[in-house]
Amino acid sequence: GDSVTQMEGPVTLSEEAFLTINCTYTATGYPSLFWYVQYPGEGLQLLLKATKADDKGSNKGFEATYRKETTSFHLEKGSVQVSDSAVYFCALSGAGGYQKVTFGTGTKLQVIP
Amino acid sequence: ETGVTQSPTHLIKTRGQQVTLRCSSQSGHNTVSWYQQALGQGPQFIFQYYREEENGRGNFPPRFSGLQFPNYSSELNVNALELDDSALYLCASSPGGLAGGPLGNEQFFGPGTRLTVL
């Protein structure tokens, strides 16, 4: 079945540091890929998405590129802020008959001033 | 445009009881999915409803059941509650379409219901 593997946290960075959170996936066909963010005490918010190979999703300075050859969708940001502190989930939605989203276990990011 | 809403926000039950959680989908969305997120874990798919019919189910026992109404709102029912059912329950809606596609695959999440089973 479908699965998502993302790097374990927590990740602690200083403000303005470069962020990479690795994510790889296993799926049949051509899934859509997502990054969701969850702030403390809140539900999930879609951060960015990519629906086909070589697509780059971007939002709020975050980027991720759909790499089919390496089955990866790594999240990057050039300069993190304290307000980026949250849990980040990599996820995929298969191209099958129903739209189940499969999530990774999440990576907690803490940005310190 | 109103987003996905869920009620109640928090709920405390005791082992063996039954609970009903509610979700209103985003306007124009005909597909609702439910997820269970245990503390420190990623959300796990429970089931999905499309046009009032169950359209897929994850690895959850039959005591987890659901309904979707003609206005596409939905309920999640859990019978015979167990301590391990304590979690954040998330509802997500999407525009639907059986074959997915870029719009069909994107799900919009509600804020969740925090269930505590004592």
Side-chain angles (χ1 to χ4, degrees):
Chain A
D2 297 346
S3 67
V4 176
T5 302
Q6 60 182 107
M7 65 186 285
E8 291 188 16
V11 174
T12 302
L13 294 174
S14 298
E15 206 165 21
E16 299 184 3
F18 184 85
L19 169 71
T20 299
I21 301 178
N22 290 335
C23 171
T24 58
Y25 68 90
T26 301
T28 54
Y30 298 90
S32 296
L33 301 177
F34 308 91
W35 278 98
Y36 283 88
V37 59
Q38 188 172 38
Y39 297 100
E42 298 186 12
L44 294 170
Q45 299 177 26
L46 179 65
L47 180 60
L48 54 83
K49 65 179 180 180
T51 57
K52 60 182 188 294
D54 299 325
D55 265 3
K56 178 185 282 189
S58 61
N59 186 27
K60 299 181 181 179
F62 290 90
E63 292 183 340
T65 302
Y66 190 145
R67 301 286 189 199
K68 185 147 182 72
E69 64 276 12
T70 54
T71 62
S72 65
F73 193 55
H74 304 321
L75 181 69
E76 296 182 336
K77 186 174 186 183
S79 175
V80 294
Q81 305 300 312
V82 172
S83 57
D84 294 326
S85 298
V87 180
Y88 292 82
F89 292 93
C90 184
L92 69 83
S93 181
Y98 66 94
Q99 303 141 28
K100 163 187 172 181
V101 178
T102 300
F103 288 87
T105 54
T107 302
K108 183 175 182 179
L109 170 66
Q110 182 178 15
V111 180
I112 54 177
Chain B
E1 184 178 83
T2 306
V4 178
T5 60
Q6 293 185 242
S7 63
T9 306
H10 297 88
L11 201 53
I12 298 175
K13 292 285 190 178
T14 56
R15 198 169 46 182
Q17 285 189 310
Q18 178 266 343
V19 70
T20 298
L21 310 182
R22 295 180 174 81
C23 170
S24 292
S25 61
Q26 187 165 316
S27 177
H29 290 185
N30 58 18
T31 301
V32 172
S33 303
W34 286 92
Y35 295 82
Q36 181 195 65
Q37 186 179 14
L39 197 61
Q41 301 296 315
Q44 299 293 313
F45 176 75
I46 302 175
F47 44 56
Q48 182 180 89
Y49 279 83
Y50 171 66
R51 293 186 176 176
E52 302 178 58
E53 303 244 345
E54 187 178 292
N55 189 36
R57 189 176 184 93
N59 189 27
F60 280 81
R63 58 190 187 84
F64 285 79
S65 63
L67 281 174
Q68 187 179 33
F69 300 98
N71 66 354
Y72 304 130
S73 65
S74 177
E75 286 183 355
L76 164 65
N77 298 292
V78 187
N79 292 322
L81 284 167
E82 301 177 0
L83 297 180
D84 285 349
D85 295 333
S86 295
L88 180 68
Y89 288 84
L90 296 165
C91 169
S93 72
S94 55
L98 291 177
L103 284 181
N105 282 341
E106 182 172 343
Q107 299 191 357
F108 297 79
F109 284 80
T113 293
R114 174 75 62 186
L115 172 65
T116 302
V117 182
L118 302 176

